[in-house]
Amino acid sequence: MRAAEQSTAAGHRSCASKDASLARAFEFLGRRWNAAVLGSLEDGPAGFRELSRAIDGISDSVLSNRLSCLVGAGLIARDVEPGPPVSVSYSLTAAGQALMPALGHIAAWADEHLPR
């Protein structure tokens, strides 16, 4: 294979890899409420009730599911303080914090370029 063909093949593999990564990211972040939960934790840790009040329209069962999913993905941490009373709070992990600027850019882009 000539150098130009090798470069083109490498470019296609790189593009396919980026496409797959973006598809994974948007599939995960596109799940309803994931971004809202992450955004609610941007200013610091919060308990379940605080999150429930902060995210208008989310049911307790869906919030519980989203929290479990985000903990499993390593984007938020679940911290349990033994009581009494037992207290549970959620906070962004380093991976979750690293995601916040990208979510901010996407939100700004949407405000500027997508119809409401």
Side-chain angles (χ1 to χ4, degrees):
M1 196 182 278
R2 292 182 309 187
E5 291 171 336
Q6 287 176 339
S7 176
T8 300
H12 288 308
R13 283 191 300 276
S14 174
C15 186
S17 175
K18 286 180 185 172
D19 287 349
S21 296
L22 282 172
R24 273 193 345 271
F26 280 107
E27 180 181 339
F28 182 79
L29 294 171
R31 289 192 74 186
R32 189 159 186 204
W33 306 113
N34 275 355
V37 172
L38 290 167
S40 293
L41 293 171
E42 187 171 19
D43 291 332
F48 188 91
R49 278 292 138 230
E50 292 170 277
L51 291 169
S52 180
R53 284 190 293 271
I55 304 169
D56 190 37
I58 193 169
S59 70
D60 285 353
S61 62
V62 171
L63 177 57
S64 179
N65 179 275
R66 298 293 87 222
L67 289 168
S68 293
C69 180
L70 292 165
V71 167
L75 296 176
I76 64 173
R78 181 179 186 269
D79 303 305
V80 180
E81 294 286 327
V86 173
S87 172
V88 178
S89 66
Y90 298 89
S91 60
L92 293 174
T93 63
Q97 290 172 346
L99 178 60
M100 297 316 293
L103 290 180
H105 288 298
I106 291 169
W109 175 85
D111 283 343
E112 185 174 338
H113 298 287
L114 294 178
R116 295 206 178 263

